[in-house]
Amino acid sequence: MRRGLGAVAALTLALVTALIAQGGGDPASALRHVYLIPVAALALAFGRLGGTLGAGATLVLYASVVLPALERSGLTPETMEGLVTFALVGGVGALGGTLTTRARRQRARYETILTVQRALADVTPLEAALRSVRAVLLDRLRAADVGLVVRDGEREVVVGAERVVAGSVAARVLAGGPSVFVPDTGSGRRPRRVFATPLVVAGQPIGVLAVERVGELGDEERAALEALGAHVAVALENARLTSRARRFADELEARVATATRHLEELDRAKSAFVAVASHELRTPLTALRGFSEILAARSLAPDEVRRMAGIMGAEAARLGRIVSDLLDLSRLERGLEPTLHRVPVAVEGALTATADLFRGGAVDTIVVDCAPALPPADADPDALERILANVVGNAVKYSPPDSEVRLRARRAGAMIEIEVTDHGAGIAGAALARIFEPYYRAPDVGAVRGTGLGLAVVKALVEAHGGSIRIESTLHVGTRVTFSLPAVP
Amino acid sequence: MVGVAAGQGALLATALAWAGCGTRSGVVAIVLLGAAAAAAARGPAGALAYLIVPLWVAWLARRGRLATLGLAGPVPGRALLAAVALGAFLGGHLLVSASLTLGVRLRPGPGGVLAALAYDAGANVLAAECFFRGALFNRAQRRWSFATGVVLATAAYVVRYLVDPLLPKSIEWVVGAAFYLALLGAGNCWLFWWSGSLVPGGVAALLFFAAYRLLGTGA
């Protein structure tokens, strides 16, 4: 359609010139007004280029009529008419074409902004929004490439490139610089021009819009790109905020769900603990009460009295340990560290005492293996006793009667590493991950007694000393608990 | 004539230097054009010596040394057609206008025309297109914009011909030269920008100058 119009306009110009020449070459011929029609049509159809070319072609053609007359007769009213027609056609072509081009560019800008806003209306993840905007801009700006960078908190979201290269135009603009125009970036047949403009929201740069085009990118278009950048920035900011709000909502929902799950588990564990603790507390109390009633009601032989007193003492000690664990746990839950009175403690002595405590129980053999010349540990003796009692007690509880429990101590740098190895039932992987949680008891412990507090307290005590603890276990093979305490320097 | 040819040589040497060909190529250009001008001064047949220069430039272009001047790679057929249209239109218009307005008649005999055409092909058009389009316009449009490049290169192109001692000095010829050379220069800039090649502009200019040489006072 537009090509056809160009051909028709050219033919009309040639025909009008031919008709004027045919009619005697009068510069004031009424036919000269017809020149305005194709020139105006070209200006409206093709803008500045069409109007200028149309006017230029008219001038070149009409000159062959006006100039000979001017040469022959000088400035007569007829030749003046011809010169006025020159000016009129030139003005209509240039002015009409320029106004048409401007109006079209303005419309194209509004359409681009509208298309960007439409593209962002339904897209909430920021990356998808940027990709969508880039696709729109590539199409609308007739660009060879478009790059977009947007800061979202600590991260930078980049589309159109892998990353922002340090020292690049985009990096300079992103660092808070003004818009940058690079007239030519290569040595191709036509210049490759790059323009990078900041995306600014409320005076703060949130990103960069970089456009690369083969061909022209004039002042007017660069100013328009800056304005477009402002619109894109607002639209992206909205998308970014929506995306962030949604992400926060999702994260919050996930956290609340996790916390709820955790609280539910804690609640279940506490309920289970209350039942277990009641039982654990009642058992020694029942024993104490029973033996005290026997001692009060009967006259017993001194050996029997000593045996009963020994049992009562052991039960009282067990009661004391449970109460201590509860108190420590209470302190931990309030965010307080256990109170320690650290002194040099002989590790071998502590291990031997613990082994003696559990010898004669369920396990056949408890072996103590201490490295020679081991320095004393810088530890609270009561805390160490409780740590060992808990760890060795667990090893003994979960081991078959004919197995061996080995207590090993070695120097490891500035620390003393103590290892308790058993050949018991082992701990399943899922339970191992939660073994240090308060109130947690592995589901397959069966009838083995315990409160679920021991290892949580042990971990807190070890860490309060500045040490660490780890457990390695293989189901049906055995478990190794390794913890470290600082050595006396 | 030899002085004009040396001037063409200087333009061509500058263009070659901007294309990165080195000083030796520039010296060769000046020497070749000077020698051709000397040969042409001996008789019309000697003007054929000018044709050595485009052959030498073609040899440089084949070696890829003139790519930045737009003398590398294929030439688009549509650009050649547009160049023929532009050159033929401006040349035809010049012939009609000059004969109608100034009463200029066509030059008698083909000898002088052929010698002038050889000069245009080997010196005038070649040097002007290499310098004003390949070097000046190309640099200016890369540094600023297409419009700036066109204005700068075309203005320099027109000035170069207005100071040419071979141009008749009457006001009609000066105005006509400024008019046609401005249109030719701007058109050739556009052809260069559109096609990326210097060849279409050279074709348009050759056609226009061929028409000019046909005129009785076409020097």
Side-chain angles (χ1 to χ4, degrees):
Chain A
M1 177 71 182
R2 291 173 76 188
R3 271 190 187 178
L5 179 67
V8 168
L11 277 175
T12 307
L13 292 175
L15 189 63
V16 169
T17 310
L19 287 174
I20 291 173
Q22 189 77 19
D26 180 9
S29 164
L31 276 172
R32 73 187 189 282
H33 298 300
V34 181
Y35 279 131
L36 287 171
I37 297 170
V39 171
L42 287 171
L44 289 174
F46 299 103
R48 186 183 290 158
L49 181 67
T52 309
L53 282 180
T58 305
L59 297 186
V60 167
L61 290 170
Y62 193 41
S64 60
V65 174
V66 176
L67 293 183
L70 197 63
E71 193 70 23
R72 275 195 312 271
S73 324
L75 276 177
T76 61
E78 287 76 20
T79 53
M80 285 293 286
E81 288 281 351
L83 293 175
V84 168
T85 305
F86 269 161
L88 198 62
V89 167
V92 166
L95 197 65
T98 301
L99 290 176
T100 305
T101 299
R102 282 195 173 186
R104 279 188 185 159
R105 284 182 182 166
Q106 201 66 27
R107 193 180 68 185
R109 277 170 215 144
Y110 285 128
E111 282 176 358
T112 304
I113 292 166
L114 200 63
T115 316
V116 165
Q117 283 172 346
R118 274 187 194 145
L120 289 174
D122 300 325
V123 187
T124 45
L126 190 58
E127 287 82 352
L130 285 179
R131 278 197 296 275
S132 180
V133 170
R134 180 173 180 261
V136 168
L137 295 180
L138 269 173
D139 178 45
R140 306 280 320 180
L141 300 177
R142 292 174 289 112
D145 201 1
V146 170
L148 275 160
V149 184
V150 171
R151 281 205 190 108
D152 185 26
E154 291 301 309
R155 68 185 183 132
E156 276 176 5
V157 184
V158 184
V159 294
E162 282 186 13
R163 62 196 167 85
V164 178
V165 179
S168 64
V169 169
R172 274 187 281 157
V173 175
L174 198 60
S179 299
V180 174
F181 175 56
V182 182
D184 190 17
T185 58
S187 56
R189 288 185 141 194
R190 288 189 193 175
R192 285 183 89 88
R193 311 200 193 274
V194 172
F195 183 64
T197 186
L199 304 176
V200 180
V201 173
Q204 294 296 315
I206 63 156
V208 181
L209 163 66
V211 176
E212 183 175 357
R213 186 190 279 175
V214 179
E216 291 308 291
L217 197 56
D219 292 344
E220 196 185 331
E221 282 182 283
R222 297 205 295 271
L225 276 176
E226 282 185 327
L228 179 67
H231 285 282
V232 169
V234 171
L236 279 176
E237 180 69 357
N238 288 341
R240 193 169 69 98
L241 290 175
T242 310
S243 167
R244 185 182 279 190
R246 182 163 294 185
R247 207 171 59 239
F248 281 164
D250 290 346
E251 277 176 18
L252 197 63
E253 196 180 322
R255 283 186 187 186
V256 167
T258 307
T260 307
R261 222 170 21 248
H262 184 69
L263 285 173
E264 283 170 359
E265 282 173 13
L266 202 62
D267 189 48
R268 271 198 299 275
K270 278 191 171 174
S271 299
F273 169 75
V274 168
V276 170
S278 307
H279 178 71
E280 289 292 309
L281 289 170
R282 185 174 289 169
T283 305
L285 279 175
T286 306
L288 285 171
R289 189 176 166 193
F291 283 116
S292 63
E293 281 175 357
I294 290 170
L295 286 172
R298 295 184 194 174
S299 298
L300 298 169
D303 285 348
E304 190 64 10
V305 169
R306 267 196 299 277
R307 190 184 68 82
M308 286 187 180
I311 293 171
M312 288 170 76
E315 291 298 326
R318 193 172 144 209
L319 201 55
R321 278 200 299 275
I322 293 172
V323 172
S324 296
D325 282 353
L326 281 170
L327 285 173
D328 281 342
L329 196 69
S330 167
R331 285 176 63 81
L332 284 175
E333 286 185 339
R334 280 183 287 140
L336 301 172
E337 285 204 346
T339 311
L340 301 176
H341 301 287
R342 292 162 76 157
V343 292
V345 179
V347 175
E348 188 167 10
L351 294 185
T352 307
T354 308
D356 288 345
L357 189 67
F358 288 96
R359 272 196 188 106
V363 170
D364 274 358
T365 316
I366 299 179
V367 179
V368 175
D369 171 16
C370 246
L374 196 66
D378 178 22
D380 182 315
D382 291 339
L384 179 58
E385 187 191 326
R386 287 177 59 205
I387 293 167
L388 287 169
N390 261 302
V391 175
V392 178
N394 281 343
V396 170
K397 269 196 288 185
Y398 297 105
S399 293
D402 55 349
S403 68
E404 175 191 282
V405 171
R406 179 172 286 270
L407 280 60
R408 196 161 169 260
R410 291 282 182 277
R411 177 86 188 246
M415 308 296 280
I416 292 170
E417 206 167 72
I418 298 168
E419 199 177 277
V420 178
T421 310
D422 67 56
H423 302 285
I427 307 164
L432 199 60
R434 302 183 56 192
I435 204 76
F436 291 113
E437 287 179 20
Y439 313 114
Y440 179 77
R441 298 197 74 210
D444 53 355
V445 293
V448 180
R449 290 169 63 185
T451 57
L453 302 179
L455 283 175
V457 171
V458 164
K459 186 168 188 281
L461 288 173
V462 169
E463 287 175 352
H465 279 88
S468 63
I469 183 167
R470 66 178 186 276
I471 297 185
E472 299 147 275
S473 185
T474 307
L475 211 54
H476 309 305
V477 175
T479 301
R480 180 164 61 216
V481 180
T482 310
F483 64 94
S484 59
L485 295 171
V488 173
Chain B
M1 193 71 178
V2 175
V4 172
Q8 311 279 17
L11 286 180
L12 187 55
T14 309
L16 293 176
W18 280 3
C21 284
T23 316
R24 209 175 68 176
S25 298
V27 172
V28 171
I30 293 170
V31 168
L32 283 179
L33 280 166
R42 291 176 171 271
L48 292 175
Y50 279 115
L51 297 178
I52 294 169
V53 184
L55 292 175
W56 173 66
V57 169
W59 177 76
L60 285 178
R62 273 184 68 87
R63 294 180 69 188
R65 297 173 66 182
L66 302 180
T68 53
L69 289 182
L71 285 171
V75 182
R78 289 171 68 189
L80 278 177
L81 278 177
V84 169
L86 175 69
F89 175 73
L90 288 177
H93 193 274
L94 171 71
L95 288 176
V96 172
S97 298
S99 57
L100 286 178
T101 311
L102 304 173
V104 178
R105 294 186 178 178
L106 295 184
R107 185 192 293 235
V113 175
L114 289 177
L117 284 177
Y119 164 73
D120 285 336
N124 176 27
V125 169
L126 181 69
E129 290 307 313
C130 283
F131 180 77
F132 293 105
R133 245 65 64 188
L136 189 60
F137 166 71
N138 198 15
R139 284 194 161 211
Q141 70 144 347
R142 285 179 189 281
R143 189 173 177 82
W144 295 293
S145 67
F146 172 76
T148 311
V150 169
V151 169
L152 189 67
T154 305
Y157 185 61
V158 171
V159 168
R160 173 253 172 275
Y161 282 101
L162 292 185
V163 300
D164 192 323
L166 300 178
L167 181 75
K169 296 301 174 199
S170 66
I171 186 71
E172 295 88 352
W173 283 98
V174 170
V175 171
F179 175 73
Y180 287 110
L181 290 171
L183 286 180
L184 181 66
N188 280 357
C189 284
W190 180 79
L191 282 171
F192 181 80
W193 177 84
W194 182 43
S195 66
S197 171
L198 208 56
V199 176
V203 169
L206 271 178
L207 283 171
F208 172 76
F209 278 101
Y212 172 68
R213 302 299 178 195
L214 287 174
L215 292 174
T217 48

